[in-house]
Structures are given as C-alpha cells and as structure tokens.
C-alpha cells in the first residue's frame, strides 16, 4: 500500500505536468491550431501571440510541475510518518491532487494571459 502511495500520490500530478511541458518544449506547435498548444482567444490572434504564449506557458508548466513533484514527495513523506487512517490518507491525497491541478491551471492561464497582454500591449 505504501508503494502505491508513492506512485499515485500528489507527485504524480507533477510528473504529468513535467511530461506535458517537456513534450511541448521538444515539439512546439508551429502553426496556430485548435488541437495542440496554448489555445486561447488572445494566443490565437496571430502567429506572434501564438509563439509567445506557447513558449511562456510551456516554461510555466515545467516550473509548476517541479513544484508539484517536490510538494507531492514532501506530502507523501509527511503522510507516511504519521499513523493516519488509510481512508483519510487517500482522501487527503485526492484533495491535494484536485486542488493542485485547479491551482496550476488557474496560474497557467492567468499568468500567460497577463504576459501576453503586457508583451503586446493588448487591451
């Protein structure tokens, strides 16, 4: 059971964001499309917005992935140090994964949109 906590714990979210970030960094979307890349109305205005939005959001995704990975490992260590009911531990891990994913997505969108707005002096 402890091994499963190390794999399926909150650090898994960090690994997912890191993988997605490295894939997007190695294979960036070259043209504006509706399938792959950072896709918002502002980023899809023109090629400059598209390139900058994808470059910025990819780096931000990698940074957030590392933070989630380290925080997840620290949380797993903390949860395994104490004698906590396994059901409560599982609920705590799920809550952290859900909260972490929501926060990271909100940070990605708000910071990238602000960056695009500031970079291109958009209204």
């Amino acid at each position: 059971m402890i091994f499963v906590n190390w794999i399926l714990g909150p650090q898994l979210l960090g690994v997912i964001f890191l993988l997605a970030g490295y894939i997007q960094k190695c294979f960036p979307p070259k043209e504006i499309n509706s399938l792959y890349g950072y896709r918002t109305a502002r980023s899809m205005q023109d090629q400059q917005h598209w390139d900058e939005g994808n470059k910025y959001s990819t780096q931000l995704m990698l940074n957030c992935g590392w933070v989630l990975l380290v925080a997840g490992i620290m949380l797993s260590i903390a949860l395994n140090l104490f004698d906590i009911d396994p059901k409560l531990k599982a609920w705590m891990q799920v809550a952290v994964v859900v909260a972490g994913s929501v926060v990271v997505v909100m940070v990605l969108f708000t910071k990238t949109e602000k960056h695009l707005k500031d970079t291109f002096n958009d209204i």
Side-chain angles (χ1 to χ4, degrees):
M1 183 67 173
I2 293 174
F3 180 70
V4 171
N5 288 339
W6 284 102
I7 294 173
L8 298 179
Q11 60 274 16
L12 179 63
L13 186 62
V15 171
I16 290 169
F17 274 98
L18 284 170
L19 284 173
Y22 282 119
I23 289 170
Q24 190 159 328
K25 188 173 185 167
C26 292
F27 306 102
K30 306 241 186 279
E31 298 176 359
I32 299 172
N33 68 77
S34 60
L35 296 175
Y36 176 64
Y38 180 78
R39 302 173 313 273
T40 63
R42 181 171 276 132
S43 70
M44 296 173 80
Q45 282 181 5
D46 58 35
Q47 192 65 41
Q48 277 187 312
H49 282 75
W50 177 256
D51 293 339
E52 185 63 28
N54 279 286
K55 179 181 165 190
Y56 186 84
S57 67
T58 297
Q59 189 56 52
L60 197 55
M61 189 183 311
L62 290 169
N63 294 344
C64 289
W66 282 113
V67 169
L68 287 170
L69 179 65
V70 171
I73 290 171
M74 289 173 42
L75 180 65
S76 291
I77 290 170
L79 289 176
N80 287 317
L81 286 176
F82 301 104
D83 187 28
I84 300 174
D85 179 47
K87 288 183 181 180
L88 177 60
K89 190 184 293 187
W91 277 107
M92 290 171 69
Q93 288 177 326
V94 168
V96 169
V97 168
V98 170
S101 60
V102 169
V103 167
V104 167
V105 168
M106 288 173 49
V107 166
L108 279 170
F109 279 103
T110 56
K111 288 188 72 90
T112 304
E113 289 299 303
K114 183 179 181 333
H115 174 75
L116 288 174
K117 183 179 178 183
D118 294 346
T119 301
F120 296 105
N121 297 319
D122 293 343
I123 295 174

